[in-house]
Amino acid sequence: MDVKQYMADVGRKARQASRAMAAADTGVKNQALLATAAAIESSRAALIAANKQDMDNGVANGLDAALLDRLELTDARIDTMIEGLHQVASLTDPVGEITDLSYRPSGIQVGSMRVPLGVIGIIYESRPNVTVEAASLCLKSGNATILRGGSEAIHSNQAIAACIEQGLKAVSLPAEAVQVIETTDRAAVGELITMPEFVDVVVPRGGKGLIERISKDATVTVIKHLDGICHVYIDDQADLDKAYAIAMNSKTHRYGTCNTMETLLVAEAVAASILPRLAEGYQQAGVELRGCEQTRAIITDAVAATEEDWNTEYLAPVLSIKVVPGLDQAIEHINQYSSQHTDTIVSENYTRGRRFIREVDSSSVMINASTRFADGFEYGLGAEIGISTDKIHARGPVGLEGLTSQKYVVLGDGHVRT
């Protein structure tokens, strides 16, 4: 296969399909989503058979247990895919919404209209359910999409793509509106991220290495976050019961997610009161603790933290802890070491909480809540294409609105400028 020519053909078809998608009304897009859900339901056996091929290949190629778990399609996961399609169909369609319409002194009306981005390339690893999630969000927001899943899930993704194609054809939308790359050649990724004439935005979903490579090499705009070095700060005016619950949940609810706490900051005035209790809870959960000198004076079996620890996203049962004099030093530490993903303060002091959310420069900033809430579904977006720590266009969980842009619209009645 000539990968360059193949990808150019895919891009050309996607660009053409994007025009039809931009013009599609909400009802048609919803019908396509529901028809896709029905196709997945009727294709369960084919999906599981295709996934078995990938699972068998994964075992033969030595994939570790965690990757095999992410790769596996079970009946329960297929149920979740179907439910997700129904949920996206029920979401409000942002496309075409006009806001801030106002009259100007000239008599014209000026407002902003939400419009699709166009063609979205999505690069991801392992999980075949991402194929459905990404396709459904792009479809509902009026975009065409090019999906490049990991080579380990090629058979599963192709089987899912066939279901999506059925859903699109059922309502006479172009099948090319959702294209899953058929080759496992890595050169396809290089082509996808350097086709600005066909692709408007690229969204990488995967490990830091993948995202760094795409960000470095892409000539197409990238929506991304590199890592999730998330913090919880326990203030000296915190309710310590709330602090315990939030600090435990932020770390132990799930270890491998980007919104899991990696560094705990504790005001020195309450450190001796809360840290022994937390240490016991973390010990029971099997979490390794790495602390500053003051932390280790209280938690004697904690490992000495290094400068590297403050810069590390563990994605594992490991937590770094630092005792700080107060709010000023907590904010300073977070703004120095945070990846600008999610950071939270636990405090009963309203003024301090307001200051924290104003001065901490992250895409999600919280008061008295677990970092694990930084999620599109939890934010009421229905689903998310990913989380962005960029500062232009989309920031935080990226849902339907994040997959659109705005253009100015002007309404006149024969108006001319004088």
Side-chain angles (χ1 to χ4, degrees), residues 198-242:
F198 299 130
V199 180
D200 297 289
V201 173
V202 169
V203 182
R205 295 183 57 166
K208 185 175 181 179
L210 169 72
I211 297 171
E212 283 182 328
R213 176 217 158 178
I214 290 170
S215 300
K216 176 177 174 288
D217 296 343
T219 58
V220 175
T221 299
V222 179
I223 296 177
K224 68 184 185 307
H225 79 271
L226 287 176
D227 48 14
I229 303 174
C230 303
H231 298 77
V232 172
Y233 167 58
I234 300 176
D235 186 45
D236 58 18
Q237 294 192 36
D239 178 315
L240 296 187
D241 288 334
K242 290 181 186 176

Coordinates of all heavy atoms in Angstrom, one line a residue, residues 198-242:
F198 N -6.7 18.9 4.4 CA -7.8 18.0 4.6 C -8.3 17.9 6.1 O -9.4 17.6 6.3 CB -7.4 16.6 4.1 CG -7.1 16.5 2.7 CD1 -5.9 15.9 2.3 CD2 -7.9 17.0 1.7 CE1 -5.6 15.8 0.9 CE2 -7.6 17.0 0.4 CZ -6.4 16.3 0.0
V199 N -7.4 18.1 7.0 CA -7.7 17.9 8.4 C -7.6 19.2 9.2 O -6.6 19.9 9.0 CB -6.7 16.8 9.1 CG1 -7.0 16.6 10.5 CG2 -6.8 15.5 8.3
D200 N -8.6 19.5 10.0 CA -8.6 20.8 10.7 C -8.0 20.7 12.1 O -7.4 21.7 12.6 CB -10.0 21.3 10.8 CG -10.6 21.6 9.4 OD1 -10.2 22.6 8.8 OD2 -11.5 20.9 9.0
V201 N -8.3 19.6 12.8 CA -7.8 19.4 14.2 C -7.4 18.0 14.4 O -8.1 17.1 13.8 CB -8.9 19.8 15.1 CG1 -8.6 19.4 16.6 CG2 -9.3 21.3 15.1
V202 N -6.4 17.7 15.2 CA -6.0 16.4 15.6 C -6.2 16.3 17.1 O -5.7 17.2 17.8 CB -4.6 16.0 15.2 CG1 -4.1 14.8 15.8 CG2 -4.5 15.9 13.7
V203 N -6.7 15.2 17.6 CA -6.9 14.9 19.0 C -6.1 13.6 19.3 O -6.6 12.5 18.9 CB -8.3 14.8 19.4 CG1 -8.4 14.6 20.9 CG2 -9.1 16.0 19.0
P204 N -5.0 13.6 19.9 CA -4.3 12.4 20.3 C -4.8 11.9 21.7 O -4.9 12.7 22.7 CB -2.8 12.8 20.4 CG -2.9 14.3 20.7 CD -4.2 14.8 20.2
R205 N -5.1 10.7 21.8 CA -5.5 10.1 23.1 C -4.6 8.9 23.4 O -4.7 7.9 22.7 CB -7.0 9.6 23.1 CG -7.9 10.7 22.9 CD -9.4 10.3 23.0 NE -9.7 9.5 24.2 CZ -11.0 9.3 24.6 NH1 -12.0 9.7 23.8 NH2 -11.2 8.6 25.7
G206 N -3.7 9.0 24.3 CA -2.8 8.0 24.6 C -1.7 8.4 25.6 O -1.9 9.4 26.3
G207 N -0.6 7.7 25.6 CA 0.5 8.0 26.5 C 1.2 9.3 26.2 O 1.1 9.9 25.1
K208 N 2.0 9.8 27.1 CA 2.7 11.1 27.0 C 3.6 11.0 25.8 O 3.7 12.0 25.0 CB 3.5 11.4 28.3 CG 4.2 12.7 28.2 CD 4.8 13.0 29.6 CE 5.5 14.4 29.6 NZ 6.1 14.7 30.9
G209 N 4.3 9.9 25.5 CA 5.2 9.8 24.4 C 4.5 10.0 23.1 O 5.0 10.7 22.2
L210 N 3.3 9.4 22.9 CA 2.6 9.6 21.7 C 2.2 11.0 21.5 O 2.3 11.6 20.4 CB 1.3 8.7 21.7 CG 0.3 8.9 20.6 CD1 0.8 8.4 19.3 CD2 -1.1 8.3 21.0
I211 N 1.7 11.6 22.6 CA 1.2 13.0 22.5 C 2.3 14.0 22.2 O 2.2 14.9 21.4 CB 0.4 13.4 23.7 CG1 -0.8 12.5 23.9 CG2 0.0 14.8 23.7 CD1 -1.6 12.6 25.2
E212 N 3.5 13.8 22.8 CA 4.6 14.6 22.6 C 5.1 14.5 21.1 O 5.4 15.6 20.5 CB 5.8 14.2 23.5 CG 5.6 14.7 24.9 CD 6.8 14.4 25.8 OE1 7.4 13.3 25.6 OE2 7.1 15.1 26.7
R213 N 5.1 13.3 20.6 CA 5.5 13.1 19.2 C 4.6 13.9 18.3 O 5.0 14.6 17.3 CB 5.6 11.7 18.9 CG 5.9 11.4 17.4 CD 5.2 10.2 16.8 NE 5.1 10.3 15.3 CZ 4.6 9.4 14.6 NH1 4.0 8.3 15.1 NH2 4.5 9.6 13.3
I214 N 3.3 13.7 18.5 CA 2.3 14.3 17.6 C 2.4 15.9 17.7 O 2.3 16.6 16.7 CB 0.9 13.8 17.9 CG1 0.8 12.3 17.5 CG2 -0.2 14.7 17.3 CD1 -0.5 11.6 18.0
S215 N 2.5 16.4 18.9 CA 2.6 17.8 19.1 C 3.8 18.4 18.4 O 3.8 19.5 17.9 CB 2.6 18.1 20.6 OG 1.5 17.6 21.3
K216 N 4.9 17.6 18.5 CA 6.1 18.1 17.8 C 6.1 18.1 16.3 O 6.6 19.0 15.7 CB 7.3 17.2 18.3 CG 8.6 17.5 17.7 CD 9.7 16.6 18.3 CE 11.1 16.8 17.7 NZ 11.1 16.2 16.3
D217 N 5.5 17.1 15.8 CA 5.5 16.9 14.3 C 4.3 17.4 13.5 O 4.4 17.6 12.3 CB 5.7 15.4 14.0 CG 7.0 14.8 14.5 OD1 7.9 15.6 14.8 OD2 7.0 13.5 14.6
A218 N 3.2 17.7 14.2 CA 2.0 18.1 13.5 C 2.1 19.4 12.9 O 2.6 20.4 13.5 CB 0.8 18.0 14.5
T219 N 1.5 19.6 11.7 CA 1.3 20.9 11.1 C -0.2 21.2 11.1 O -0.6 22.2 10.6 CB 1.8 20.9 9.6 OG1 1.1 19.8 8.9 CG2 3.3 20.6 9.6
V220 N -1.0 20.3 11.8 CA -2.4 20.5 12.0 C -2.6 20.9 13.5 O -1.8 20.5 14.3 CB -3.2 19.3 11.7 CG1 -4.7 19.4 12.1 CG2 -3.1 18.9 10.2
T221 N -3.5 21.8 13.8 CA -3.8 22.1 15.2 C -4.1 20.9 16.0 O -4.8 20.0 15.6 CB -5.0 23.1 15.2 OG1 -4.8 24.3 14.5 CG2 -5.4 23.5 16.7
V222 N -3.5 20.9 17.2 CA -3.7 19.7 18.1 C -4.4 20.1 19.4 O -4.0 21.1 20.0 CB -2.3 19.1 18.5 CG1 -2.4 17.9 19.5 CG2 -1.5 18.7 17.3
I223 N -5.4 19.4 19.8 CA -6.1 19.5 21.1 C -5.6 18.4 22.0 O -5.7 17.2 21.7 CB -7.6 19.4 21.0 CG1 -8.1 20.6 20.1 CG2 -8.3 19.5 22.3 CD1 -9.6 20.5 19.9
K224 N -4.9 18.8 23.1 CA -4.2 17.8 23.9 C -4.0 18.1 25.3 O -4.3 19.3 25.8 CB -2.8 17.6 23.3 CG -2.0 18.9 23.5 CD -0.6 18.8 22.9 CE 0.2 20.0 23.3 NZ -0.4 21.3 23.0
H225 N -3.7 17.1 26.1 CA -3.0 17.3 27.4 C -1.9 16.3 27.4 O -2.1 15.1 27.0 CB -3.9 17.2 28.6 CG -4.2 15.8 29.0 ND1 -5.3 15.1 28.5 CD2 -3.7 15.0 29.9 CE1 -5.4 13.9 29.0 NE2 -4.4 13.8 29.9
L226 N -0.7 16.7 27.9 CA 0.4 15.8 28.0 C 0.4 14.8 29.1 O 0.6 13.6 29.0 CB 1.8 16.5 28.0 CG 2.2 17.2 26.7 CD1 3.4 18.1 27.0 CD2 2.4 16.2 25.6
D227 N 0.1 15.3 30.3 CA 0.0 14.4 31.5 C -0.9 15.1 32.5 O -1.4 16.2 32.3 CB 1.3 14.1 32.1 CG 2.2 15.3 32.2 OD1 1.7 16.5 32.2 OD2 3.4 15.2 32.5
G228 N -1.2 14.3 33.6 CA -2.1 14.8 34.6 C -1.4 14.8 36.0 O -1.6 13.9 36.8
I229 N -0.6 15.8 36.2 CA 0.0 16.0 37.6 C -1.0 16.8 38.4 O -0.9 18.0 38.4 CB 1.4 16.6 37.5 CG1 2.3 15.8 36.6 CG2 2.0 16.7 38.9 CD1 3.7 16.4 36.3
C230 N -1.9 16.1 39.1 CA -3.0 16.8 39.8 C -2.7 16.9 41.3 O -2.1 16.0 41.8 CB -4.3 16.0 39.5 SG -4.8 15.9 37.8
H231 N -3.1 18.0 41.9 CA -2.9 18.3 43.3 C -4.1 18.4 44.1 O -5.1 18.9 43.6 CB -2.1 19.6 43.4 CG -0.7 19.6 42.8 ND1 -0.6 19.7 41.4 CD2 0.5 19.5 43.3 CE1 0.7 19.7 41.1 NE2 1.4 19.6 42.2
V232 N -4.0 18.0 45.4 CA -5.0 18.3 46.4 C -4.3 19.1 47.5 O -3.2 18.7 47.9 CB -5.7 17.1 47.0 CG1 -6.6 17.5 48.2 CG2 -6.5 16.4 46.0
Y233 N -4.8 20.3 47.8 CA -4.2 21.1 48.9 C -5.2 21.1 50.1 O -6.3 21.5 50.0 CB -3.9 22.5 48.5 CG -3.6 23.4 49.7 CD1 -2.6 23.1 50.5 CD2 -4.4 24.6 49.9 CE1 -2.3 24.0 51.6 CE2 -4.1 25.4 51.0 CZ -3.1 25.1 51.9 OH -2.8 25.9 52.9
I234 N -4.7 20.6 51.3 CA -5.5 20.6 52.5 C -5.1 21.8 53.3 O -4.0 21.9 53.8 CB -5.3 19.3 53.3 CG1 -5.7 18.1 52.5 CG2 -6.1 19.4 54.6 CD1 -5.5 16.8 53.2
D235 N -6.0 22.8 53.3 CA -5.8 24.1 54.0 C -5.9 23.9 55.5 O -6.5 22.9 56.0 CB -6.8 25.1 53.5 CG -6.6 26.5 54.0 OD1 -5.5 26.9 53.9 OD2 -7.6 27.1 54.5
D236 N -5.3 24.9 56.3 CA -5.4 24.8 57.7 C -6.8 25.1 58.3 O -7.0 25.0 59.5 CB -4.3 25.6 58.4 CG -4.3 27.1 58.0 OD1 -5.4 27.5 57.5 OD2 -3.3 27.8 58.2
Q237 N -7.7 25.6 57.4 CA -9.1 25.8 57.7 C -10.0 24.8 57.0 O -11.1 25.0 56.7 CB -9.5 27.2 57.4 CG -8.8 28.2 58.3 CD -9.4 29.6 58.2 OE1 -10.6 29.7 58.1 NE2 -8.5 30.6 58.3
A238 N -9.4 23.6 56.8 CA -10.2 22.5 56.2 C -11.0 21.7 57.2 O -10.6 21.6 58.4 CB -9.3 21.5 55.4
D239 N -12.1 21.2 56.8 CA -12.8 20.2 57.6 C -12.1 18.9 57.3 O -12.0 18.4 56.2 CB -14.3 20.0 57.1 CG -15.1 19.0 57.8 OD1 -14.5 17.8 58.0 OD2 -16.2 19.2 58.1
L240 N -11.4 18.3 58.4 CA -10.5 17.2 58.2 C -11.2 15.9 57.7 O -10.6 15.1 57.1 CB -9.7 17.0 59.4 CG -8.7 18.2 59.8 CD1 -7.8 17.8 60.9 CD2 -7.9 18.6 58.6
D241 N -12.5 15.8 58.1 CA -13.2 14.6 57.6 C -13.4 14.7 56.0 O -13.2 13.8 55.3 CB -14.6 14.5 58.3 CG -14.4 14.0 59.7 OD1 -13.4 13.4 60.0 OD2 -15.3 14.3 60.5
K242 N -13.8 15.9 55.6 CA -13.9 16.2 54.2 C -12.5 16.0 53.5 O -12.4 15.4 52.4 CB -14.4 17.6 53.9 CG -15.8 17.9 54.2 CD -16.1 19.3 53.9 CE -17.5 19.7 54.3 NZ -17.8 21.1 54.1

